[in-house]
Amino acid sequence: MKFTLSWLKQHLDTSATLDQIVEALTRIGLEVEGVENPGEKLAAFKIAKVLSAERHPQADKLQILSVDAGNGPLQVVCGAPNARAGLVGVFGAPGAYVPGLDVTLKLASIRGVESNGMMCSTRELELGEDHDGIIELPADAPIGTAYPDYAGLTDPVIDVAITPNRQDCMGVRGIARDLAAAGLGTLTPLTFDAFTSEGAGPDVRTDDTAGCPAFFAQTVTGVTNGDSPEWMRRSLLAIGQKPISALVDITNYLMIDLGRPLHVYDRAKLSSGLVARKAKDGEQVVALNGKTYTLDATMTVIADDTAVHDIGGIMGGEHSGVSADTTDVLIECAYFDPDHIARTGQKLTLTSDARSRFERGVDPAFLEDGLAIATALVLHICGGTASDVTRSGEPPLEPRVIHYDPRLSADLGGLHVAPERQARTLLSLGFTIGAIKSADAFSDALFSTIEGKWPVTVPTWRRDVDGPADLVEEVVRIEGIDTIPSTPLPRMPGVAKPTATPEQKLERRARRAAAARGLDEAVTWSFLSEAEAAPFGGGAWTLANPISEDLKVMRPSLLPGLLAATGRNLKRGQQSVRLFEIGRRYLADAERATLGVVLAGDRRPRGWRDGKAATFDAYDAKAEALALLAAAGAPVDNLQVMPVLSAAEGGEAGDAWHPGQSGTLRLGPKTVLASFGMLHPSVLKAFDLDGAVAAVEIYLDAIPPKRASGFTRPAYTPPALQAVRRDFAFLVPAALATDTLVRAVKGADKVAIVSARVFDVFTGAGVEEGHKSVAVEIILQPTAKSFTDEEIRAIADKVVAAAAKQGASLRV
């Protein structure tokens, strides 16, 4: 929320400096996001007088002006239709930065004529939208004076972040009240010009007491809707609000000033009285933003007997808005239920300044005075005659009393504050304590009559306060969060115990291993679009009220986010993409810790030694999967390679993997630790990716935990005897997985055989069709004594026999 320093001082009688106010705002919980002086960027612009104006010899729509900005005549080429001799306006010399054009002026030649700067319009200086001509100032404006000084643009603008629970600070007066309670001045009384009313009030009522409990209204006849006063226009412009007309500006000003949204209708455009009611399903309204909204029966609207004129508490309708021809108006001041406003705004995806205040909760006791202040301003600025007030319904004004123990300030807030000071703080914020109604009425004698817990009555504008802890927060923030002493937590005796869980340690090892292998970590959204989730089996969980349709489904896999990131990198010229992410998959039964890897582009760049670039394949994915599983502590030597199950076979990833170029690593037939391989071309098409892409998903929660064995590592004891290596070449069916053969060979003698690996696979001449030659190296490790030839031969026979059970025969 933005406001100027002078605007704040209309409600706060203070001698505090800007720096003191800014520091105090942040200290009491109203964080200042920024302070800017709009006059600083316009300091180079001066008031100048046009001495003469002559037609440009080379352009009919341009004039050559002689301009005096206090230092003698300068020649300026200008295309404004209102440029003429004698005009006093705003001049920018070469070197001045024009914010509305985002250019810095320089000496220029325009159609062959030298121009020494420019005369500026309001849009070019970002002071309004008028671009029909240059600014025209009164004839007595002092020539040569800096324009910000003359126009009063040196008023600092303060931008404060208001948290959702502080609805009372959605107006300048609420912020001033907090500063007064913090000791930076005195809150000025809220006054307005008295006026008399004539005639009956307007025909309004509320038929929707749940959505609109109270509907107050008053009419003013005979108004003249021109420009709003300069002081009001200047205040609105300073905070980025565009002045429209006096009647509209009054409602906008009061919304910012007092946090009280109102609406003004042109009575000539209404066919009957107004009623706050539920909308009908399918009913439509064209709002002030020019968009058409379709309503349903849960939404509150303001309507007459022919049409809807207002989405209650959010935005008025275009049809009944005031214009320059408006002479009779109806001023609406209503109370709308915050929950109804929030739900309606979410359904319509419609935001407005009014909605941001009503859904937080405006002061329900401020209808009468809010309407009176608005009417008084209309009468003062636009003239006319006011009617009586029509009041329909009752705002929720039931008082809330909290019994407060002042010792809670130290117990809950960690800050000891004297009871008398706590009482004065609460009274300054608008609370009442027993019979004490304000800080001015506080006295030691009256305070001493309160025994036990204090009966604290919450002001109507503090919807967020409903318990003693909230009162502690009020006391502590006014004292200053920075005054709370730092108190260390008690330390347990002895050596501190590790705080990381086994799951956190596992993720840490996996993350470090992935980074060490040259993979770049990515952090992607946990939400996807339905289209992105579909290739991976779809999402089990869908948000009812997502931020956007692209973030609707909770991800069933980490790969969609990584694929989207891969596509962005490849489209920006990255030749090789190696990404990994550790996060959660959200399945129907639980959320699962997972490590995802995507490999795309060039595995090896082209070069003189190897020729053209090489791309990633399924074996690269398998190598990454095995290395990362090993780092995570999985028993990789016991893993089996098995095919990926399709969706029809009960596979979680659906048909995302390429058949024949992918697999799973399992402990037994059911425990899947990882999926790896090439992704299906349909998946790549869905993510607009060209070329082959390899991927890995490691299911960290499926890795069996290590048995606790203490912190001491066993002593390194290398074998005392030399190992023996033997090679075997088997002729096996082409369909047999080499992994199956290797596992069978290694299991032939689990004591002597410590390792087995494939070092050659051959098909072609000498190998019958439908078969392949697989060469396996085994390592035999003796323990007590060296192997004899007979023992080695016996082990070899076991190896051949074990291979034969898999359909393999020894090549001769």
Side-chain angles (χ1 to χ4, degrees), residues 728-733 738 741 758 760-764 766-768 771-776 811:
F728 296 83
F730 295 105
L731 192 65
V732 302
T738 56
L741 177 63
V758 173
D760 182 59
V761 177
F762 174 73
T763 58
V767 177
E768 62 182 273
H771 288 72
K772 59 185 176 182
S773 173
V774 179
V776 180
R811 287 188 65 188

Side-chain angles (χ1 to χ4, degrees), residues 1-4 7-8 10-11 157-158 162 167-176 232 235-242 248-262 352-354 356-357:
M1 177 176 159
K2 293 183 178 181
F3 54 91
T4 64
W7 197 339
L8 176 68
Q10 293 175 19
H11 295 280
V157 177
I158 305 171
I162 307 297
Q167 69 280 349
D168 59 306
C169 288
M170 292 297 287
V172 179
R173 185 167 182 82
I175 294 174
M232 183 177 289
S235 296
L236 293 174
L237 280 171
I239 63 172
Q241 289 275 353
K242 176 185 175 183
V248 176
D249 293 350
I250 287 170
T251 60
N252 288 336
Y253 180 83
L254 290 179
M255 179 175 60
I256 303 296
D257 188 52
L258 303 175
R260 174 68 251 187
L262 304 108
S352 68
D353 289 331
S356 67
R357 287 162 174 80

Side-chain angles (χ1 to χ4, degrees), residues 448-504:
S448 64
T449 62
I450 301 176
E451 299 179 356
K453 294 184 177 180
W454 302 350
V456 179
T457 302
V458 180
T460 54
W461 57 82
R462 291 304 302 271
R463 179 171 173 260
D464 60 305
V465 177
D466 61 6
D470 296 318
L471 298 180
V472 172
E473 180 183 358
E474 295 302 298
V475 171
V476 170
R477 73 178 183 85
I478 294 300
E479 288 294 316
I481 302 294
D482 56 330
T483 62
I484 299 176
S486 298
T487 305
L489 294 173
R491 179 164 182 163
M492 298 297 291
V495 179
K497 297 180 179 180
T499 57
T501 65
E503 292 79 9
Q504 290 171 327

Side-chain angles (χ1 to χ4, degrees), residues 389-667:
V389 176
T390 300
R391 304 169 183 85
S392 177
E394 292 290 337
L397 295 176
E398 183 177 351
R400 284 172 293 146
V401 178
I402 299 172
H403 295 280
Y404 176 65
D405 185 345
R407 290 175 296 184
L408 290 175
S409 173
D411 295 343
L412 292 182
L415 185 65
H416 177 75
V417 182
E420 293 81 2
R421 186 170 179 82
Q422 292 189 51
R424 289 184 180 276
T425 295
L426 294 174
L427 291 168
S428 297
L429 291 171
F431 296 85
T432 62
I433 304 175
I436 309 175
K437 302 299 181 184
S438 67
D440 295 336
F442 182 88
S443 67
D444 292 338
L446 188 59
F447 183 66
S448 64
T449 62
I450 301 176
E451 299 179 356
K453 294 184 177 180
W454 302 350
V456 179
T457 302
V458 180
T460 54
W461 57 82
R462 291 304 302 271
R463 179 171 173 260
D464 60 305
V465 177
D466 61 6
D470 296 318
L471 298 180
V472 172
E473 180 183 358
E474 295 302 298
V475 171
V476 170
R477 73 178 183 85
I478 294 300
E479 288 294 316
I481 302 294
D482 56 330
T483 62
I484 299 176
S486 298
T487 305
L489 294 173
R491 179 164 182 163
M492 298 297 291
V495 179
K497 297 180 179 180
T499 57
T501 65
E503 292 79 9
Q504 290 171 327
K505 292 179 180 178
L506 172 63
E507 292 185 12
R508 187 180 301 166
R509 290 196 303 270
R511 178 176 284 107
R512 289 176 175 173
R517 292 185 61 79
L519 302 175
D520 298 312
E521 185 172 13
V523 179
T524 66
W525 289 103
S526 297
F527 304 99
L528 310 169
S529 66
E530 291 180 328
E532 290 174 324
F536 297 87
W541 303 97
T542 301
L543 300 184
N545 182 33
I547 299 174
S548 71
E549 286 298 311
D550 291 336
L551 299 173
K552 186 176 183 178
V553 179
M554 300 187 76
R555 63 186 179 192
S557 167
L558 268 63
L559 297 183
L562 290 172
L563 289 174
T566 298
R568 288 191 294 271
N569 280 273
L570 292 175
K571 287 179 174 62
R572 285 161 175 77
Q574 189 69 24
Q575 297 298 314
S576 180
V577 177
R578 306 164 187 247
L579 298 179
F580 82 94
E581 179 177 12
I582 295 179
R584 300 291 186 271
R585 296 177 299 135
Y586 300 92
L587 307 180
D589 57 341
E591 55 182 83
R592 306 287 186 181
T594 307
L595 188 158
V597 176
V598 168
L599 307 172
D602 296 341
R603 175 175 62 86
R604 182 189 67 234
R606 65 179 181 175
W608 62 269
R609 176 179 295 178
D610 302 311
K612 65 180 181 179
T615 59
F616 293 100
D617 56 26
Y619 296 105
D620 295 311
K622 181 181 179 183
E624 295 295 339
L626 289 172
L628 295 175
L629 283 170
V636 293
D637 291 338
N638 299 329
L639 296 182
Q640 303 176 47
V641 178
M642 300 180 69
V644 176
L645 297 180
S646 66
E649 297 169 318
E652 290 178 352
D655 300 316
W657 299 97
H658 196 302
Q661 299 184 34
S662 59
T664 58
L665 294 170
R666 307 190 183 202
L667 274 175

Side-chain angles (χ1 to χ4, degrees), residues 77-116:
V77 178
C78 181
N82 64 330
R84 63 188 184 277
L87 180 144
V88 178
V90 181
F91 170 72
Y97 173 73
V98 185
L101 300 178
D102 191 26
V103 297
T104 299
L105 298 176
K106 59 183 179 180
L107 191 66
S109 178
I110 302 176
R111 296 287 185 92
V113 176
E114 185 179 86
S115 181
N116 298 273

Side-chain angles (χ1 to χ4, degrees), residues 41-240:
K41 62 183 179 182
L42 302 179
F45 294 88
K46 296 184 177 181
I47 298 175
K49 184 175 183 178
V50 179
L51 303 178
S52 64
E54 299 178 359
R55 189 176 67 85
H56 194 293
Q58 303 297 327
D60 292 338
K61 293 185 178 181
L62 296 179
Q63 296 186 77
I64 302 175
L65 309 181
S66 177
V67 175
D68 180 15
N71 295 317
L74 292 172
Q75 181 173 277
V76 175
V77 178
C78 181
N82 64 330
R84 63 188 184 277
L87 180 144
V88 178
V90 181
F91 170 72
Y97 173 73
V98 185
L101 300 178
D102 191 26
V103 297
T104 299
L105 298 176
K106 59 183 179 180
L107 191 66
S109 178
I110 302 176
R111 296 287 185 92
V113 176
E114 185 179 86
S115 181
N116 298 273
M118 70 180 293
M119 298 293 289
C120 303
S121 69
T122 55
R123 183 190 293 181
E124 289 160 348
L125 298 184
E126 292 187 339
L127 298 176
E129 295 299 319
D130 184 12
H131 195 55
D132 295 333
I134 56 179
I135 297 173
E136 295 191 39
L137 301 177
D140 59 353
I143 307 301
T145 301
Y147 179 65
D149 295 337
Y150 170 79
L153 297 176
T154 56
D155 195 6
V157 177
I158 305 171
D159 188 3
V160 176
I162 307 297
T163 53
N165 65 316
R166 293 305 309 277
Q167 69 280 349
D168 59 306
C169 288
M170 292 297 287
V172 179
R173 185 167 182 82
I175 294 174
R177 182 188 297 111
D178 269 19
L179 288 172
L184 262 73
T186 304
L187 188 68
T188 60
L190 187 61
T191 60
F192 58 90
D193 294 337
F195 61 89
T196 57
S197 57
E198 301 177 8
D203 178 15
V204 299
R205 72 179 191 277
T206 176
D207 291 346
D208 178 17
T209 54
C212 179
F215 186 178
F216 291 10
Q218 192 167 21
T219 61
V220 181
T221 58
V223 301
T224 301
N225 187 24
D227 292 335
S228 53
E230 182 61 27
W231 62 268
M232 183 177 289
R233 290 172 56 85
R234 187 177 297 170
S235 296
L236 293 174
L237 280 171
I239 63 172

